[in-house]
Amino acid sequence: MKIKHIIATLAVLTLVGCTENFDELIKDPVALSPNPAGQLTFTQLCMSGDGYYQHRTNLIYSGGFVQHYSGSWAVTEYGGKFKKNDEYATALWRNAYANEIKSIVDILEKTSADPAAANMNAVAKIMRVMIAQRLTDIYGDVPYSQAGLGFSQGIVTPKYDKQEDIYASFFKELQEAYVQLSAGGGSVKGDLFYNGDISKWKKLANTMRLRLAMRISEVSPAEAEKQAKAALQNGVFESNDDNCIMHHLDFPFNDNPATLDFRGNGLSYGFISDEHGDHFSSLLIDYLKDNGDPRLPMIATPKTSSSIVYWSPLQPGETLYEGVKPGVFRWELPGGSNSASGIQPYLKLRTTPFLHVSYSESQLLLAEAAFRGWVSGSAADYYKKGVEAGIKQLEIYGATAATQTDIDTYVNAHPLTAGTEKEQIGTQIWVTYLFNSIEAYSNWRRTGYPHLVPITSPESQTGGVVPTRLYYPNDEMQKNEKNYLEAISRMGGKNDWTSKVWWDVN
């Protein structure tokens, strides 16, 4: 944890007392005090408003690895060609531990012995799982059980827990939180996800449990089945109304992590900052185009007859969507930078919402679980609902809604087909989490779907092999040597991005 991060965090959290009013919490730029409500607001804002790691971990590396995006400088040079950049690789680690983990652990410490704060404590448990899931899935073994306890317990060199143990803790804590949440457990103030709605938080706990259950499907299928069944029985998301969404504010972006200005959408910052992420990959565009997917015009700007596409003349009124081949810069296209489709403007606003956990994902994962025989219900029905929800969820960004006729036409023409179930489900999750590439990258490593465009650039530092994790910050050797070396020894003795995390066995 950098000293400037600590100082900046303390400065923000001690400027004013935390208001009791939810509207004021979200509007007041400094209403983030060291009480649980202020810390909850702060943590939720960080999770998608942190432009530092949303730009680097989500867009450049994860988005480049799974070929959501291509063409712009950093996405192509580093994420698209698999070249190392220590700042990019360690961004999530540095900021998540300095800000999110510390704040959420503080909430847990302050509310653990207070029955009147039982619901706040349960929400903090769910939040800690959400934050740590990203960390462990990106890095592997990470500090969890002792993380964030430097101030309260003096633990400044936390152990790196094994990922298998971390996942066991996740399942235990999500079940505890689900049971703990109740009408008599006190209010949850400062909640920007659900405004304190306990029923929504219970569904989120179970939907996260389903996600994690399927994440370990290949390494521990018996436990995965057990957890998936429990999640469904307890009650997962029932519609897009249950989606875990962060609605951001119209505040300027700042790429200095010490400023802690997290109120705007951090991914949008990446899209517009130095043109690092303004084009989709040809893999994505072609998949949507070839299948007549109604999401294509909802996310991408078309090329029209007035566009500079000299090698592909257009008829009046004709539209054309073109992506950028992974590993290729947009200015290397035959028609130059202007010949590729762009990202719809409403996806690049500071106020663009961020989707953390979705009904679409839950239905698609249930489709896979049903296909495996783990849960009741029809895999085909779950799949159909998941795809439809994935189309409709784009409306939260301001996209013109697809007509029900168009949606029905698409889903009926592309049912779940025997023999290709896992590929279809994995590919649809990849599309559903187009704007949450960290999650898409994790699911891709588990399933291997979709099939990515081979990278043949001689500049690739992996020989064209997609990295399977991000590597730890090298200064951990100085800060936490013993625990760092133990973690490295469990990964073959090398801090490299071609090592695999525990659940990645394919």
Side-chain angles (χ1 to χ4, degrees):
M1 183 184 295
K2 293 184 178 180
I3 296 298
K4 66 178 182 180
H5 291 178
I6 301 173
I7 295 172
T9 302
L10 292 175
V12 172
L13 296 179
T14 55
L15 281 172
V16 295
C18 179
T19 173
E20 297 292 320
N21 185 282
F22 173 78
D23 291 333
E24 292 303 315
L25 273 170
I26 190 169
K27 292 176 182 177
D28 187 339
V30 290
L32 304 169
S33 76
N35 66 42
Q39 289 178 309
L40 179 61
T41 299
F42 173 73
T43 304
Q44 291 176 343
L45 285 169
C46 287
M47 288 180 67
S48 54
D50 189 327
Y52 187 72
Y53 74 67
Q54 282 292 330
H55 187 186
R56 292 156 177 78
T57 314
N58 194 15
L59 175 58
I60 294 173
Y61 268 155
S62 297
F65 290 169
V66 297
Q67 299 177 358
H68 276 155
Y69 310 101
S70 183
S72 299
W73 167 252
V75 172
T76 302
E77 182 72 4
Y78 295 100
K81 296 181 180 179
F82 315 144
K83 295 173 68 173
K84 289 184 176 180
N85 180 301
D86 291 351
E87 179 187 312
Y88 297 169
T90 63
L92 174 64
W93 177 290
R94 295 189 187 283
N95 277 24
Y97 278 114
N99 301 319
E100 297 162 28
I101 287 290
K102 177 63 176 70
S103 294
I104 215 67
V105 169
D106 280 352
I107 297 174
L108 289 168
E109 294 274 292
K110 293 171 183 175
T111 59
S112 62
D114 183 2
N119 285 337
M120 179 65 86
N121 181 266
V123 163
K125 287 179 180 177
I126 299 168
M127 290 284 296
R128 183 166 74 153
V129 171
M130 292 176 70
I131 296 162
Q133 180 235 314
R134 287 200 297 199
L135 282 163
T136 188
D137 284 354
I138 287 291
Y139 295 103
D141 295 356
V142 297
Y144 182 65
S145 61
Q146 296 180 342
L149 297 174
F151 178 77
S152 62
Q153 297 186 28
I155 301 175
V156 295
T157 55
K159 69 176 181 178
Y160 285 51
D161 297 284
K162 296 178 181 179
Q163 187 176 64
E164 182 176 5
D165 296 337
I166 295 172
Y167 263 72
S169 295
F170 285 165
F171 293 128
K172 176 177 179 290
E173 290 161 16
L174 288 173
Q175 173 65 13
E176 288 177 354
Y178 166 72
V179 173
Q180 191 173 322
L181 288 163
S182 69
S187 61
V188 178
K189 297 179 180 179
D191 174 20
L192 306 187
F193 288 170
Y194 293 122
N195 199 14
D197 188 327
I198 299 305
S199 66
K200 299 285 189 185
W201 277 103
K202 290 175 81 74
K203 292 178 187 177
L204 177 61
N206 300 324
T207 305
M208 281 295 302
R209 190 173 183 179
L210 174 63
R211 172 191 284 182
L212 297 170
M214 300 311 294
R215 188 59 44 80
I216 66 170
S217 62
E218 301 301 316
V219 69
S220 185
E223 182 66 12
E225 178 180 358
K226 171 186 171 183
Q227 296 299 334
K229 284 180 176 177
L232 181 59
Q233 181 177 354
N234 285 351
V236 297
F237 286 171
E238 298 177 275
S239 73
N240 278 344
D241 291 338
D242 294 326
N243 286 347
C244 181
I245 303 170
M246 181 66 206
H247 293 279
H248 283 281
L249 302 178
D250 189 12
F251 280 89
F253 296 115
N254 193 319
D255 197 30
N256 181 356
T259 65
L260 302 180
D261 190 358
F262 299 151
R263 287 157 289 168
N265 184 313
L267 179 60
S268 296
Y269 164 79
F271 285 150
I272 65 177
S273 174
D274 301 324
E275 298 183 319
H276 277 177
D278 54 356
H279 292 294
F280 295 115
S281 79
S282 59
L283 180 66
L284 176 72
I285 294 295
D286 289 349
Y287 174 81
L288 299 177
K289 183 168 54 177
D290 294 346
N291 287 282
D293 196 311
R295 283 171 284 200
L296 181 55
M298 300 173 80
I299 65 167
T301 58
K303 309 314 294 183
T304 65
S305 56
S306 61
S307 300
I308 305 174
V309 193
Y310 64 81
W311 74 94
S312 180
L314 298 176
Q315 300 301 315
E318 183 183 1
T319 58
L320 177 69
Y321 293 89
E322 296 287 347
V324 183
K325 183 180 178 181
V328 174
F329 294 110
R330 64 185 186 276
W331 53 83
E332 295 176 319
L333 297 175
S337 297
N338 292 329
S339 62
S341 298
I343 294 175
Q344 285 285 6
Y346 44 74
L347 298 170
K348 300 189 289 185
L349 302 175
R350 293 180 292 210
T351 54
T352 298
F354 189 94
L355 181 59
H356 286 288
V357 188
S358 73
Y359 170 64
S360 173
E361 177 200 11
S362 70
Q363 293 299 294
L364 292 169
L365 291 177
L366 286 172
E368 182 182 342
F371 165 71
R372 291 172 178 266
W374 291 352
V375 299
S376 60
S378 164
D381 288 345
Y382 285 130
Y383 179 78
K384 183 176 182 179
K385 291 178 182 177
V387 174
E388 180 174 351
I391 298 169
K392 291 183 176 180
Q393 74 187 18
L394 292 175
E395 295 173 24
I396 68 170
Y397 302 113
T400 300
T403 67
Q404 191 61 47
T405 298
D406 287 344
I407 294 174
D408 291 341
T409 298
Y410 175 72
V411 297
N412 290 332
H414 300 86
L416 193 63
T417 305
T420 60
E421 292 93 343
K422 287 186 178 180
E423 180 175 1
Q424 287 181 268
I425 293 167
T427 301
Q428 284 295 331
I429 290 176
W430 174 71
V431 177
T432 275
Y433 276 135
L434 171 58
F435 304 110
N436 190 346
S437 294
I438 291 175
E439 194 55 38
Y441 172 49
S442 290
N443 198 65
W444 176 83
R445 284 177 286 156
R446 176 180 74 91
T447 67
Y449 298 116
H451 296 298
L452 301 178
V453 175
I455 298 300
T456 58
S457 171
E459 299 176 59
S460 172
Q461 294 177 345
T462 65
V465 177
V466 183
T468 44
R469 62 181 285 268
L470 293 183
Y471 48 90
Y472 303 130
N474 289 324
D475 58 7
E476 282 290 289
M477 180 65 180
Q478 287 73 47
K479 297 177 180 178
N480 195 1
E481 179 180 0
K482 177 178 179 293
N483 294 310
Y484 168 81
L485 290 175
E486 286 182 359
I488 292 300
S489 70
R490 295 194 293 264
M491 305 187 75
K494 189 176 181 181
N495 181 25
D496 194 58
W497 62 355
T498 56
S499 303
K500 289 190 174 184
V501 301
W502 164 72
W503 49 253
D504 183 4
V505 295
N506 289 324

